[in-house]
Amino acid sequence: MKCAYEMAMEPTMPHRHFNVLIKCVKANGVRLIERTENGRTGREFIHCIAEAVQEKCAVILASTDFFSILSDGSQARKTKSEKELVLIRTERNGIPVYIVASLLKMEKFGGGSADAIVKGINSLFEETAQYELPTEAYRGKLVSCTADGASVNTGKYRGVLTQLKRDRPWLLTIHCANHRIELAVKSSLNIAEFEAVEEFYRTNYQLLKNSGKIKAQVAECARNLGIHYYQLPKIHGTRFVNHRRRGFKNLLETWPAYTLAYENAVADTQGGTANTRAKISGLLKKFKSYSFMCSVDVYLDLLEQLAPTSMVFEADTLMPYEVSSAVTRTILQLREKEDEIGKEGEFLDSYAARYHITEDGVAKGQFVKAGHKKKKKQNREYVTVEFQMNGFDRDQCLEKVRNIKKKVIPVVIATLKDRFASYDDEIFSKMQWIDPAFWTSDKEFGIEDILSLASHFEEPLSLASFDTSRALKEWKSFKIFVRSHYSKLPEAKTLWQSVLCNRRQEFPNLCKLASLIVSISGSNSSIERTFSVVTNILSDKRLSMHHNTINEALVVYGNDSLWSTEER
């Protein structure tokens, strides 16, 4: 098993090296079947383990009452052929788990159209398929589907989600919350000031990426100043908010090192080409411009307000009813920031206060001492660094920040409201009864919600032998049980993990309804993580790997978290 994982996931090792692993194992005294090993043996081994994993996953799926499907598409790096990754979310031992079902090769189903994707997804559950389910069980157990906002998925008439819902009127078709907030933020921050900030970052990133010499000079200047050197990460990708937040924070924390290094590079007339020196000179002007630094500060301030919600949407355990609450919190925080504009204390928690700027243009700030980044915050030491800015009018620069916030914050709020309007659907609010944070002292609380969910999901619940009247009786007992067994109301995830593991016989119908809710996913973040696994498997030395081998390696590694030590 360990060899199979190494073969599947070690990016530097082609599968033809499997016979070397076998020889090493034999040399250490492990008894193996005597046979001639060759380049195919590794693929055979992975194939055998993948079959065993799929059989175990099929048992999990067959034993569950409800499940959801998550899907997302991508293109192969070498052939540019369409691939569709399918995950299954269900409840197991009280927590949501994801089964990596398959990486579908869409050529087999007729391309990347909506009809082909639906055909590919259905093929996973047909007779003789990996996750074979009776037709009625596949139809009735599926309670939600989550995908990104591409028209092929969300098309009104022929979209993937629309077709899957056609014979399942109860099916929740969910546009991934994580994709929504990324698109909302990207479109609402699309103003000239922020475009200039992003272009500034990209130019710096490309300059350092293409010139090891300049990168080394910046790192050396950071060492000379005694501060930690933060590298600039790539900021493009699906995680718009957090990628940019991390990138610009690193830039701001190394600002004096860039200023010093670029000054030296411009002064060195013998180093680099004229074009490079001209580019560095242009960047240096912005590094020494307090007005431009203020644009970076306000951009980071807004990202900081949006980052917590983005992080919530990236959680594996995200419940659909949590989406609307997270967006509402963000909108309230943005409105508070809007109300603070022009008032005392407006910049207390702003990146605009990162540096103290004197009247003669000297910027002073505290920076993490070199080598202290990985230490706990209370154990870190800091270095005070001063550097010269160009002439500026401080009040005018801060007024610029206020104008940007006045222009952008209302647009961000309106865009978030528009993008997440569908989460105001009553069906999501009816799921809040499972979270003690929403409980009230009203004796009738939760009854209407349970009745509404029982009505909406009538067919899946009927297939699971759910009894509504018994569920209502259990609900009254359940509230008493929670208050008597917990000193204070626990978090929903902690509570239901305990109840679904230990109290199913006591509250059978209530547990079935909770299991249905836990099985519904509001985000495709797990798919994005699994695509990262595919990237690791399909390294530059494996670009000719057959699709079936990629799929099997993904199934082996992607489902590893499902197994306990005994199961493994």
Side-chain angles (χ1 to χ4, degrees), residues 354-358 362-367 384-387:
R354 174 66 184 82
Y355 298 105
H356 173 69
I357 313 293
T358 62
V362 175
K364 181 189 296 185
Q366 294 283 321
F367 297 85
T384 301
V385 176
E386 296 183 359
F387 57 100

Side-chain angles (χ1 to χ4, degrees), residues 191-204:
I191 63 171
E193 290 87 350
F194 292 162
E195 286 178 357
V197 166
E198 290 207 3
E199 180 60 30
F200 171 71
Y201 185 97
R202 284 193 295 268
T203 305
N204 278 287

